[in-house]
Amino acid sequence: MTILCIICSRGGSKEVENKALQKFFNKPLIAYTIRQAIKAKIFDKIILSTDSKKIQKIGKYYGAASWFLRPKNLALDNSPKLEVIKHSHALAEKHYGKKFQICVDLDVTSPLRSIKDIKKAVKKFKNSKFNNLISVTKANKNPYFNMVEVKKKKVQLVKKSKTKIFSRQKAPKIYEMNASISIFNRNFLLK
């Protein structure tokens, strides 16, 4: 199975400008994700999708392939990341002249993710019949117990349960997507 790793990083981040280039222990943030992908030794190709020549230059320096700049419509605040991944995947297949059955997105904002977790996620995905896999972490808040919203001028729990829940420990287990690792089956991704 051929596996493509895509690292997405746009230059126009609003909350932290050029966050991929911000120093984290004396290296640009993006360097950690590229190094993790290389050290995992499971990817046929590792590419960088960016709209920034500066990020592209740094990404290439640390070992990611990058021969294109992302179009402006895929580098806006409201551009869906899935569309960016699909675009990059299609360009990689054209550029390398082969199909990648598995596409892995490693988020730049997760420099503390472990190589072991990347390998385990890909292995788990390869041994499953699922179309995608996302990394998660246990949620600090639970919509069945301590998360509320205002509806019709009333405060109520975000999610209702058929039974009364009086302690957080009795609430259903909830997880937050942490965006560290996302994996897609090629056909599922391109549809």
Side-chain angles (χ1 to χ4, degrees), residues 35-44 46 115 119:
R35 287 315 211 187
Q36 289 166 347
I38 291 168
K39 287 180 180 178
K41 297 181 181 177
I42 58 172
F43 301 113
D44 294 282
I46 300 163
I115 294 165
K119 288 179 167 185

Side-chain angles (χ1 to χ4, degrees), residues 33 38 40 48 52 57 82 87-88 91 93 95 102 109 137 139 150-151 161-162 164 170 181 185 188:
T33 296
I38 291 168
L48 170 64
S52 163
K57 182 180 177 183
L82 190 57
H87 171 263
S88 303
L91 288 178
E93 287 191 342
H95 182 77
I102 297 174
T109 61
T137 187
V150 178
K151 277 191 175 177
S161 174
K162 291 180 183 177
K164 293 267 186 201
K170 299 291 182 185
I181 304 167
N185 166 292
F188 176 76

Side-chain angles (χ1 to χ4, degrees), residues 1-8 33-34 36-49 59 62-68 85 88-106 118 122 182:
M1 281 191 162
T2 52
I3 307 174
L4 175 67
C5 176
I6 299 175
I7 299 167
C8 302
T33 296
I34 294 169
Q36 289 166 347
I38 291 168
K39 287 180 180 178
K41 297 181 181 177
I42 58 172
F43 301 113
D44 294 282
K45 299 293 178 186
I46 300 163
I47 70 167
L48 170 64
S49 171
Y62 282 99
S66 186
W67 64 93
F68 66 94
I85 295 168
S88 303
H89 189 274
L91 288 178
E93 287 191 342
K94 186 176 180 182
H95 182 77
Y96 293 112
K98 65 178 176 180
K99 290 182 179 177
F100 295 96
Q101 285 87 20
I102 297 174
C103 179
V104 178
D105 168 55
L106 297 179
I118 295 169
V122 171
S182 299

Side-chain angles (χ1 to χ4, degrees), residues 81-138:
K81 189 171 186 186
L82 190 57
E83 293 303 314
V84 172
I85 295 168
K86 286 166 63 172
H87 171 263
S88 303
H89 189 274
L91 288 178
E93 287 191 342
K94 186 176 180 182
H95 182 77
Y96 293 112
K98 65 178 176 180
K99 290 182 179 177
F100 295 96
Q101 285 87 20
I102 297 174
C103 179
V104 178
D105 168 55
L106 297 179
D107 200 275
V108 171
T109 61
S110 298
L112 302 178
R113 146 194 60 225
S114 73
I115 294 165
K116 181 179 171 185
D117 282 345
I118 295 169
K119 288 179 167 185
K120 279 175 58 179
V122 171
K123 183 177 180 181
K124 187 174 212 69
F125 183 78
K126 285 168 85 173
N127 292 330
S128 76
K129 293 185 184 195
F130 295 112
N131 289 316
N132 69 321
L133 177 147
I134 56 170
S135 58
V136 297
T137 187
K138 286 183 182 176

